[in-house]
Amino acid sequence: MMSAVNDAEFNERLQAIIASHADQEGPLLPILHSVQAEWGYVPEEAQPILASALGMTRAEVYGVVSFYHDFRDHPAAPHVLRLCRAEACQSMGADELADQVREALGIDWHETTADGKITLEPVFCLGLCASCPSAQLDQRLVGRASLEKVRRWAEGVRA
Amino acid sequence: MKIFVPIDAAARAVGSDEVAVELGAALKRRGVDATIVRNGTRGMIWLEPLVEVEKDGVRYGFGPVDEADVDALAGLIAEGKVDGHALSLGPVEELPWMKGQQRLTFARVGVIDPVSVADYEAHGGLAGLRRAIEIGPEAIVNEVMESGLRGRGGAGFPTAIKWKTVAGAPGPQKYIVCNADEGDSGSFADRMLMEGDPLCLIEGMAIAGVATGATQGYCYIRSEYPDAIRAMNDAIADARRYGMLGQSVLGSDYAYDMEVRVGAGAYVCGEETSLLNSLEGKRGIVRAKPPIPALEGFMGRPTVVNNVLSLGAVPWIIENGGAAYGALGIGRSKGTIPIQIAGNVKYGGLFEAAFGMSLGHIVNEIGGGTATGRPVKAVQVGGPLGAYIPVENFDVAFGYEELATKEGLLGHAGISVFDDTADMLKLSRFAMEFCAVESCGKCTPCRIGSIRGVETIDRIAQGEEEMIPVLTDLCNTMKWGSLCALGGFAPFPVMSALTHFPDDFRGRSAPRKEAAE
């Protein structure tokens, strides 16, 4: 994937991130989190640079990036809706809620709405198991989630 | 006047931020001089947002408070009243949920301002660490040994043995690693402690450092817990300023410091060796044991890996003595256990009590049965790898060995309640699919077995009852052939469902909807 950003600038920003983690032991995960915070995903072009900075092979860095669910290889939509799919939430109708939301948004898991605004993702437990089902609308956690709450949020971010 | 509005994620998720802001504004309009403290949650999640008003040293509760209730509540407070509102609960400490508990680890959660060392100390904090410094490493390990404290992450390994091994291991650099990768559905105690009393965990880790000679600690928190990450980082910064962490812990000759590390959405990293790999910046692949982490852990050096709740119990144990802790509980399950009651339950939340209550008492008396009002069908204890326990076995006592007699496991002491509409075949399929998605891939029984498990259950769902023995056989292979608890325990929910609810597996004809991604 080609980067949309200027190569020199990209490299400079990446080097700054690497430098900011210089005194940490085993810094790759913190670095990847910072990279994703900076660009919204982990650009493929970052991987060889990280590999040489950390004395790892490119394959090792790729192996780490691809192992963890959190790291994206492409940017998500500006808004991310996460619905918990774990057992406690299932006991309170999470599957039904997920069906309703998927129908209302016209997308399946990991997909983005036609207007490019919202990506839907599953999550396995947000630790809100006594107020199920739970969801996360961007940074905001939602307990006792309902189609109504999700719809209100979706209308808000699409407006 | 002090007013408390929880900042715990479970309270925020139902609107406590808005309540705090609105209430502050409404009181200001009425000219009331009030300080709004953002405390942790008391653990009565069905009452969140739970607003508490302090009067003459007693905290009176109101909840659940909606934004729409705020104005009336502010009016009441302005009149100096703490009662007489539809949401009035009276003194919070007198509520049956609070009175029935024995809060040792969670004593301050919901009570104090979470990130203030001053408030922490005013409520008894640091007494454990001070005594630890006074009595020294060997005596600390002896106290923990005497307490009978076992791994609260689920494995139940005696905490003191790990500490003793690390203390005796040679090496210039040792580590304390806190496993805060609380991924089990139905569990939220780690999150509640980190958000409501992070200094308690920091103190426990510092004591572990003093006991073992480890000078660096890592708290590995799952990325799904942004609030806990923030609270821990704030508390660590405050602890450093106070001299609780650093080159000289509380002015002593002991050095100990720590940092938060954030996971990246891999359930298997809750397994200690996989966690260590992740911490080193590698794929979260399980390591074969031996070598044990106590001898070759983080970066190949001696490392204590303990759960949040194990480390969180330590300050109380050192302050009050291991014998006092060990006097509580039953059999080999000593002390208290923070029980998390979740899912389809009327009164969900955290209830800390000595081991030994019956499961039925926990679910029906404390939890009040289901939220839907329908009969309880089963409860899953211990997260996605825990067994489904039917109502017939509700007389089982809550303890490590006791649950094992019913083919169950304590896990992280989270209980998810299901009513009679639950489809046990679908939940079994979910268990296998979850295992397939989250498998680290190192061993075949887990990596391949879980996928075959999904396929086999799908065939049973289409009426192929003759596949049931195949599923049983597969579960047996996974249970005994997997390298770690992910593949090894995924058969528990499946086999328990199959054993106790055979009707859900027989006579199926229509293909069922997929349970998981």
Side-chain angles (χ1 to χ4, degrees), chain B residues 236-484:
Chain B
I236 288 170
D238 207 22
R240 278 200 196 114
R241 277 193 295 274
Y242 193 84
M244 184 178 163
L245 295 174
Q247 280 307 309
S248 165
V249 174
L250 295 178
S252 70
D253 292 336
Y254 296 101
Y256 176 78
D257 208 336
M258 59 181 284
E259 71 176 72
V260 166
R261 284 295 175 91
V262 179
Y267 176 79
V268 74
C269 290
E271 196 282 332
E272 63 176 2
T273 61
S274 156
L275 187 154
L276 290 170
N277 275 338
S278 183
L279 205 55
E280 290 179 8
K282 300 175 182 158
R283 290 162 69 87
I285 302 273
V286 173
R287 297 179 185 171
K289 287 189 270 192
I292 55 171
L295 296 175
E296 291 180 40
F298 181 60
M299 299 294 180
R301 294 165 179 162
T303 305
V304 167
V305 186
N306 281 155
N307 181 259
V308 172
L309 299 180
S310 311
L311 290 160
V314 165
W316 192 95
I317 289 168
I318 302 303
E319 181 191 352
N320 298 280
Y325 192 82
L328 303 168
I330 50 161
R332 291 180 54 219
S333 305
K334 300 295 190 194
T336 61
I337 179 78
I339 303 164
Q340 301 124 81
I341 312 174
N344 190 340
V345 69
K346 193 170 178 191
Y347 305 123
L350 183 133
F351 194 97
E352 183 179 351
F355 282 100
M357 286 192 296
S358 78
L359 186 57
H361 179 79
I362 296 167
V363 174
N364 294 318
E365 308 306 318
I366 299 169
T370 64
T372 47
R374 301 183 64 94
V376 175
K377 181 168 183 173
V379 298
Q380 186 178 32
V381 182
L385 309 176
Y388 287 100
I389 300 178
V391 177
E392 303 89 84
N393 287 344
F394 269 20
D395 57 340
V396 65
F398 211 67
Y400 294 93
E401 282 70 29
E402 291 71 14
L403 280 159
T405 64
K406 304 287 182 190
E407 291 289 304
L409 58 113
L410 177 74
H412 199 45
I415 302 174
S416 293
V417 182
F418 292 82
D419 73 13
D420 62 351
T421 61
D423 178 348
M424 303 313 290
L425 179 138
K426 190 172 144 187
L427 288 164
S428 300
R429 187 189 192 278
F430 180 83
M432 283 292 188
E433 187 147 26
F434 181 74
C435 182
V437 171
E438 298 298 334
S439 176
C440 82
K442 176 137 179 161
C443 72
T444 315
C446 174
R447 185 183 68 244
I448 307 288
S450 54
I451 290 174
R452 295 290 169 264
V454 172
E455 292 165 358
T456 310
I457 293 171
D458 280 345
R459 290 177 67 175
I460 296 168
Q462 288 174 45
E464 291 185 46
E465 280 179 34
E466 63 276 18
M467 295 307 287
I468 291 176
V470 176
L471 179 63
T472 305
D473 189 51
L474 178 66
C475 282
N476 202 42
T477 302
M478 289 176 69
K479 186 174 171 184
W480 299 108
S482 298
L483 200 54
C484 84

